[in-house]
Amino acid sequence: MSRETLAAALLPSPVPVRFLAEDGTRVDEHGGYTAPPPDRLVEAYRLMVLGRRFDVQATALTKQGRLAVYPSSAGQEACQVASALALTDADWLFPTYRDSVALVARGLEPGEILTLLRGDAHCGYDPTETRVAPQCTPLATQTLHAAGLAHAMRRRGEEAVAFALIGDGATSEGDFHEALNFAAVFKAPVVFFVQNNGFAISVPFEKQSAAPALAYKGVGYGVRSEQVDGNDAVAVLSVLDDAVAHARAGRGPVLVEAHTYRIDAHTNADDATRYRDPAEVEKWRAADPVRRLETYLTNENLLSGDDIERFRAEAETFAAGVRDTLNADVEPDPLSLFEHVYAVPTRQLAAQRELVAAELEAVEG
Amino acid sequence: MTEISMAQALNAALRDAVKDDDRVLIFGEDVGPLGGVFRVTDGITADFGEERCFDTPLAESGIVGFAVGMAMGGFRPVVEMQFDAFAYPAFEQITSHVAKLRNRTRGALSLPMVIRIPYAGGIGGVEHHCDSSEAYYTHTPGLRVVTPGTPQDAYDLLRDSIDSPDPVIFLEPKCRYWAKETVSFTRDGAAMDRAVVRREGKDVTLIAYGPMVATALETAEAAKAEGWDVEVVDLRSLSPFDDETVTASVRRTGRAVVVHEAAGFGGYGAEVVARVTEQCFHQLHAPVLRVTGLDIPYPPPKLERHQLPDVDRILDTVARLQWNDEPAVAGA
Ligand SMILES: Cc1ncc(C[n+]2csc(CCOP(=O)(O)OP(=O)(O)O)c2C)c(N)n1
């Protein structure tokens, strides 16, 4: 390929890929993409209903003091669910603190997802079993891990892909740029999925980056790039399916930017009225991804009123389970602090373990 | 006079510095309209404009590296790292450039800048929000490292730090942000580089700083019941170290315990113990002991109480200082 054709092949669509208008009607802004089959869309819808309910439940649990903190992904359900659906069990997911709903969609136990935010343990699930890396808090650092793991899998002859989630703000970190470059140079099968939800805590996108879209950031590194309407589940799923297939086929990494919006504050501890206009939030509520897909599927006769009722009921039961799990008071064992600091236990920690054990005994009498 | 919190005292120091010196600039993540996640920069953009206090892209290495350039260009940047563990992307800039530029250029270039870092634990924060990172910075020649334990010191130390011709790592103990006291805004200029005796006593010196000052004072009160008269020294400046104040105190009491939240092994307390031992050997009635955090990654919120030195742990250690001429027990 000539340099010009190569560059053109990397360029994102000039407007975000989109299949559905805000009112759920079909639009033709999807370039060469094909819509996923109906059963896949219905499954996405089911998981989005579940994910939204989970998010509402987790937010409520912070108010009751059951969770230390919860970063909501309300409004980002299309991105969250499609991230899980685009992957096979063999693929690895690298989520951030905000991506709990993606983990729900991947089938992880809510109690295990929420141990981090509840304050029990830094990671409540087994990453090797679930192929989900610990939810990452230091921004953008996981993108390099995803690139490295993707390269490792390829070296070992596995067909699997690493899928890294990252926010718009975190794309300013050096690690993100290093990850794109490494992935491109090594042709690692990794998909970088940016959920541009408009804000990094209080900083709006215009103050974060002067790029016309974050999707353009891939091109300079030689990474194929795309942008998509993040509130259109049909489009997100279609673009991510394609990106994963591209990486899986050994054609190198892909960067996808989803244009979406953070409906709630950064976390329950944040006051969003300090930095944004409630009218803006209302505008975005009209672009709700769950309702949009529901309308489309209903109009196409792919989803009946009964189906919707069934999914909602399932979500209620699920939420009740989350509540029960979180309401059970399980105190983590203080002596577990000394486990897994090293593979080979040290004498130093054994001595400190004794100190804490003696303190516990003194308290318990 | 009204009582204000440490966060408000820091805010007052920033405002006064911006007012007094056109070169002072505040920038970092969310420091603008939001006022920082701890509200330390609250209202400064509104009152002084975006030119003086502004949000940057989200990149710590970028923030510190940019500040290096701005300081070279004649400004006095005061930057905020959002949390201790999130300053690590800037570590390269801090250790390789901020700390060394004066030395590398044989004095031709200086970097008057302050890097503010909310630090240490005790607030129930999730992973990566509660590191005690002082040893990384104090181990780096060329940096000044300070940490206030009270609102008054927060005001004085921050003003002094901004005036300092040398770069300052300013560690703000998060768990003390909401602690209140009456603060006077007339600076005596004595805070920088100087430890202070927070409470006098004759039997033993507790050496603490930042988040542990309050705990040490509480311990001193509790020790009265045991018949021990405890002196508390607040270091304030971790680097440079005020040997004079610390040595004078330990020579008076003959016993010392160093208290900090950071892991003990290879930690800052080891330096303090070594200095005190070197300078007070003949006056010491017992080895200088340490009470520190455990040598584990900072635990999840539900278990952090086991990590943090508390009154009991400090009292137990004080008790091991040979009160009855019994042999000293080696530390656990
Ligand atoms: C290296 C680093 N710096 C700062 C932070 C503090 N912090 C946590 S979330 C956040 C904003 C992230 O915004 P964005 O990447 O857009 O993701 P979003 O939270 O909107 O999903 C910041 C600054 C951090 N976690 N890591």
Side-chain angles (χ1 to χ4, degrees):
Chain A
M1 244 194 256
S2 74
R3 273 174 189 278
E4 289 74 20
T5 5
L6 183 62
L10 299 177
L11 275 173
S13 146
V15 290
V17 175
R18 199 184 210 211
F19 283 86
L20 302 182
E22 285 183 12
D23 62 4
T25 52
R26 275 292 288 254
V27 287
D28 186 18
E29 289 170 12
H30 45 79
Y33 293 91
T34 40
D39 56 333
R40 220 165 146 64
L41 295 178
V42 172
E43 176 61 359
Y45 173 75
R46 182 183 77 83
L47 289 168
M48 285 164 71
V49 170
L50 196 73
R52 164 117 350 142
R53 188 63 189 84
F54 171 85
D55 205 85
V56 168
Q57 185 59 61
T59 303
L61 285 163
T62 57
K63 294 192 182 118
Q64 296 155 26
R66 286 286 169 192
L67 291 179
V69 65
Y70 183 74
S72 160
S73 61
Q76 300 178 215
E77 287 86 354
C79 299
Q80 293 283 301
V81 164
S83 297
L85 285 183
L87 305 179
T88 68
D89 287 349
D91 297 329
W92 271 82
L93 181 63
F94 284 79
T96 74
Y97 51 86
R98 194 177 300 289
D99 303 310
S100 300
V101 167
L103 305 201
V104 169
R106 189 152 167 100
L108 268 66
E109 287 299 322
E112 294 182 350
I113 298 166
L114 293 173
T115 51
L116 167 72
L117 301 166
R118 183 191 198 182
D120 291 19
H122 295 319
C123 177
Y125 49 86
D126 179 349
T128 58
E129 214 172 81
T130 55
R131 296 222 159 193
V132 177
Q135 286 182 270
C136 194
T137 304
L139 295 168
T141 50
Q142 80 282 9
T143 56
L144 277 160
H145 310 161
L149 185 74
H151 186 55
M153 292 193 290
R154 191 143 204 90
R155 288 267 308 257
R156 294 188 356 209
E158 291 173 36
E159 290 255 296
V161 167
F163 189 97
L165 290 159
I166 179 173
D168 44 298
T171 65
S172 296
E173 293 278 4
D175 275 6
F176 171 68
H177 298 267
E178 297 180 24
L180 285 175
N181 196 39
F182 268 66
V185 166
F186 291 103
K187 264 192 146 206
V190 47
V191 175
F192 301 98
F193 184 39
V194 182
Q195 292 170 80
N196 182 349
N197 65 8
F199 286 88
I201 306 188
S202 69
V203 179
F205 180 69
E206 322 73 86
K207 289 196 170 178
Q208 192 63 246
S209 172
L214 290 168
Y216 289 95
K217 303 228 167 192
V219 180
Y221 295 102
V223 173
R224 197 189 131 197
S225 305
E226 188 54 284
Q227 56 178 333
V228 62
D229 180 334
N231 288 26
D232 172 355
V234 181
V236 181
L237 197 52
S238 164
V239 166
L240 290 185
D241 278 347
D242 185 76
V244 169
H246 178 95
R248 202 185 303 285
R251 291 159 65 205
V254 184
L255 168 68
V256 177
E257 177 191 13
H259 299 275
T260 181
Y261 193 79
R262 197 191 73 204
I263 293 292
D264 285 338
H266 174 66
T267 68
N268 58 299
D270 169 45
D271 174 10
T273 60
R274 277 181 167 248
Y275 54 81
R276 73 181 182 190
D277 183 356
E280 179 183 298
V281 185
E282 286 320 305
K283 196 191 95 208
W284 275 93
R285 270 190 210 283
D288 184 71
V290 186
R291 189 165 0 97
R292 195 186 302 191
L293 184 60
E294 183 181 294
T295 310
Y296 170 69
L297 292 176
T298 310
N299 290 347
E300 296 287 305
N301 289 323
L302 297 168
L303 191 70
S304 68
D306 284 351
D307 294 330
I308 297 174
E309 278 316 305
R310 192 156 39 82
F311 295 158
R312 288 193 184 150
E314 185 199 349
E316 275 316 312
T317 313
F318 185 77
V322 175
R323 263 195 319 271
D324 291 346
T325 311
L326 272 286
N327 281 334
D329 268 310
V330 205
E331 264 307 299
D333 175 10
L335 296 180
S336 69
L337 287 173
F338 303 98
E339 287 164 17
H340 312 301
V341 180
Y342 297 97
V344 183
T346 64
R347 286 189 295 276
Q348 191 174 311
L349 285 189
Q352 292 183 9
R353 188 179 192 280
E354 271 170 41
L355 168 80
V356 172
E359 284 177 351
L360 290 169
E361 211 161 288
V363 171
E364 280 150 24
Chain B
M1 268 210 239
T2 53
E3 292 200 331
I4 57 169
S5 67
M6 183 182 281
Q8 288 168 324
L10 293 166
N11 183 273
L14 291 171
R15 282 170 180 274
D16 290 349
V18 166
K19 224 180 295 164
D20 289 357
D21 186 343
D22 288 344
R23 298 169 303 171
V24 174
L25 300 179
I26 298 165
F27 54 95
E29 294 161 10
D30 303 290
V31 299
L34 185 68
V37 291
F38 291 105
R39 305 289 183 261
V40 171
T41 55
D42 199 10
I44 298 181
T45 303
D47 293 349
F48 296 93
E50 282 240 11
E51 295 279 292
R52 307 299 303 280
C53 177
F54 53 93
D55 288 326
T56 63
L58 209 174
E60 295 74 15
S61 180
I63 292 165
V64 175
F66 197 68
V68 168
M70 292 216 62
M72 285 166 66
F75 286 93
R76 298 181 92 92
V78 183
V79 302
E80 177 176 296
M81 301 280 104
Q82 202 154 72
F83 279 90
D84 32 47
F86 305 143
Y88 299 144
F91 199 67
E92 152 73 7
Q93 288 293 341
I94 295 173
T95 52
S96 295
H97 300 286
V98 174
K100 291 178 179 163
L101 196 71
R102 174 182 296 277
N103 188 257
R104 286 165 68 208
T105 61
R106 288 173 294 157
L109 287 173
S110 65
L111 290 181
M113 58 187 275
V114 180
I115 302 174
R116 295 181 32 241
I117 309 179
Y119 106 117
I123 58 156
V126 289
E127 243 194 332
H128 307 291
H129 288 77
C130 291
D131 273 21
S132 288
S133 37
E134 62 266 37
Y136 304 133
Y137 302 115
T138 54
H139 194 63
T140 305
L143 301 177
R144 284 173 184 274
V145 183
V146 304
T147 178
T150 66
Q152 180 68 58
D153 269 6
Y155 181 83
D156 292 335
L157 275 177
L158 186 50
R159 299 256 10 221
D160 289 358
S161 297
I162 295 170
D163 287 348
S164 163
D166 287 309
V168 180
I169 304 292
F170 194 92
L171 301 173
E172 300 173 4
K174 290 189 278 279
C175 67
R176 307 298 303 161
Y177 269 142
W178 303 277
K180 290 192 164 180
E181 104 185 324
T182 306
V183 173
S184 114
F185 301 117
T186 47
R187 305 155 63 196
D188 63 4
M192 204 67 178
D193 295 357
R194 280 299 187 198
V196 63
V197 176
R198 287 256 168 247
R199 180 191 195 281
E200 291 184 2
K202 56 182 186 357
D203 295 334
V204 56
T205 302
L206 286 185
I207 302 167
Y209 53 87
M212 279 293 133
V213 172
T215 315
L217 289 168
E218 251 181 82
T219 307
E221 276 307 305
K224 283 204 275 194
E226 309 282 336
W228 302 327
D229 189 11
V230 174
E231 179 147 312
V232 175
V233 173
D234 173 357
L235 292 180
R236 303 199 289 202
S237 174
L238 306 187
S239 179
F241 183 81
D242 178 4
D243 288 287
E244 217 176 295
T245 304
V246 175
T247 303
S249 170
V250 179
R251 286 194 175 140
R252 275 197 303 275
T253 61
R255 293 180 173 85
V257 175
V258 187
V259 186
H260 65 59
E261 265 191 52
F265 192 80
Y268 184 74
E271 177 64 33
V272 180
V273 172
R275 298 182 89 85
V276 170
T277 308
E278 284 161 4
Q279 291 167 64
C280 307
F281 187 70
H282 295 291
Q283 287 84 20
L284 283 173
H285 304 311
V288 184
L289 299 182
R290 285 174 293 166
V291 186
T292 69
L294 306 163
D295 297 320
I296 57 173
Y298 199 85
K302 282 211 182 139
L303 293 174
E304 76 173 351
R305 65 182 184 281
H306 301 286
Q307 168 74 6
L308 304 173
D310 61 2
V311 171
D312 284 341
R313 220 175 255 179
I314 303 170
L315 279 180
D316 286 349
T317 306
V318 170
R320 287 174 27 225
L321 294 170
Q322 284 179 302
W323 296 98
N324 306 307
D325 289 334
E326 281 164 15
V329 189

